[in-house]
Amino acid sequence: LQEQATMYIKKMDQERAKIEELDRMIARYQERIVEQKARLGGVNAAQVNNQLIQKQIRVLENRMDKSLMKFNETMAQNKVLRQKIDEYRRERVVFDGIYKKLERELHEKKKEMAAIIEDSKNAYQARDKSQSQTLDLQNNAEKERTEFESEFKALGEMIKQQHIMLE
């Protein structure tokens, strides 16, 4: 029994030594924890850090909401602008059709005008030729009349002279 008591006393001494060693280790770790907390900003560092993060989250969410509102407004404006662009495209198709039609009509009118100018030119040339021929005919007629009259006078004189000679 004495041996058992001695053995238990030894065991208790060993356990006390272990406990003392563990207490020293706990004290060292507690000191390290205090140092770490001091380095991180104290006892409330985690709570303060969490509050800052929450505040930053709120700020970023507000920015996101504003950006989303601005995006939606821009999308609405884009929709209106796209509708206007589509309307302008339809109008352009109509105007292009009208322009091509007017261009064809102008081309036809130019052709007609060129033909009329050519006809007019030909008519003036024909008129000038006719006037020239008329003038030539009048000159020839005048010349022939003058010749005829002089021949007629000469023949009249000859007839008179023959008439006088016959008498």
Side-chain angles (χ1 to χ4, degrees), residues 12-60:
M12 281 177 36
D13 286 341
Q14 287 175 349
E15 288 298 318
R16 278 191 197 128
K18 281 183 182 179
I19 289 174
E20 285 176 14
E21 181 63 30
L22 288 174
D23 283 343
R24 281 192 299 264
M25 285 177 69
I26 288 172
R28 270 188 271 146
Y29 281 116
Q30 284 178 343
E31 285 176 19
R32 286 174 85 187
I33 289 172
V34 168
E35 287 174 12
Q36 285 289 335
K37 283 183 180 179
R39 257 192 276 151
L40 291 176
V43 177
N44 295 330
Q47 189 177 13
V48 169
N49 201 10
N50 194 19
Q51 288 174 347
L52 288 175
I53 290 172
Q54 290 298 321
K55 183 177 180 183
Q56 190 171 9
I57 288 172
R58 281 193 307 275
V59 167
L60 292 174

Side-chain angles (χ1 to χ4, degrees), residues 4-145:
Q4 274 185 341
T6 313
M7 184 177 81
Y8 280 123
I9 290 177
K10 279 185 184 179
K11 278 188 177 183
M12 281 177 36
D13 286 341
Q14 287 175 349
E15 288 298 318
R16 278 191 197 128
K18 281 183 182 179
I19 289 174
E20 285 176 14
E21 181 63 30
L22 288 174
D23 283 343
R24 281 192 299 264
M25 285 177 69
I26 288 172
R28 270 188 271 146
Y29 281 116
Q30 284 178 343
E31 285 176 19
R32 286 174 85 187
I33 289 172
V34 168
E35 287 174 12
Q36 285 289 335
K37 283 183 180 179
R39 257 192 276 151
L40 291 176
V43 177
N44 295 330
Q47 189 177 13
V48 169
N49 201 10
N50 194 19
Q51 288 174 347
L52 288 175
I53 290 172
Q54 290 298 321
K55 183 177 180 183
Q56 190 171 9
I57 288 172
R58 281 193 307 275
V59 167
L60 292 174
E61 283 177 346
N62 285 339
R63 280 187 196 165
M64 186 180 75
D65 287 343
K66 287 178 184 177
S67 295
L68 188 59
M69 287 173 51
K70 193 171 184 178
F71 174 77
N72 288 336
E73 288 173 6
T74 304
M75 291 299 286
Q77 289 174 348
N78 281 352
K79 182 179 178 184
V80 169
L81 292 174
R82 281 191 181 103
Q83 289 172 345
K84 283 184 180 180
I85 288 170
D86 289 342
E87 182 180 332
Y88 291 147
R89 284 181 179 154
R90 286 189 296 273
E91 286 179 7
R92 188 172 124 217
V93 167
V94 170
F95 288 141
D96 283 347
I98 292 170
Y99 177 77
K100 286 180 182 178
K101 179 183 173 192
L102 290 174
E103 214 171 38
R104 280 193 307 273
E105 288 178 5
L106 177 65
H107 184 68
E108 291 297 319
K109 294 295 180 189
K110 282 183 177 181
K111 275 184 175 178
E112 288 177 22
M113 197 166 78
I116 290 170
I117 288 172
E118 187 64 29
D119 290 346
S120 174
K121 181 178 144 186
N122 291 337
Y124 280 125
Q125 287 175 347
R127 184 198 68 186
D128 289 345
K129 187 176 178 183
S130 295
Q131 284 178 344
S132 175
Q133 287 175 347
T134 303
L135 191 58
D136 286 345
L137 288 173
Q138 284 176 347
N139 286 340
N140 284 340
E142 183 63 32
K143 188 177 176 184
E144 286 179 10
R145 189 181 62 76

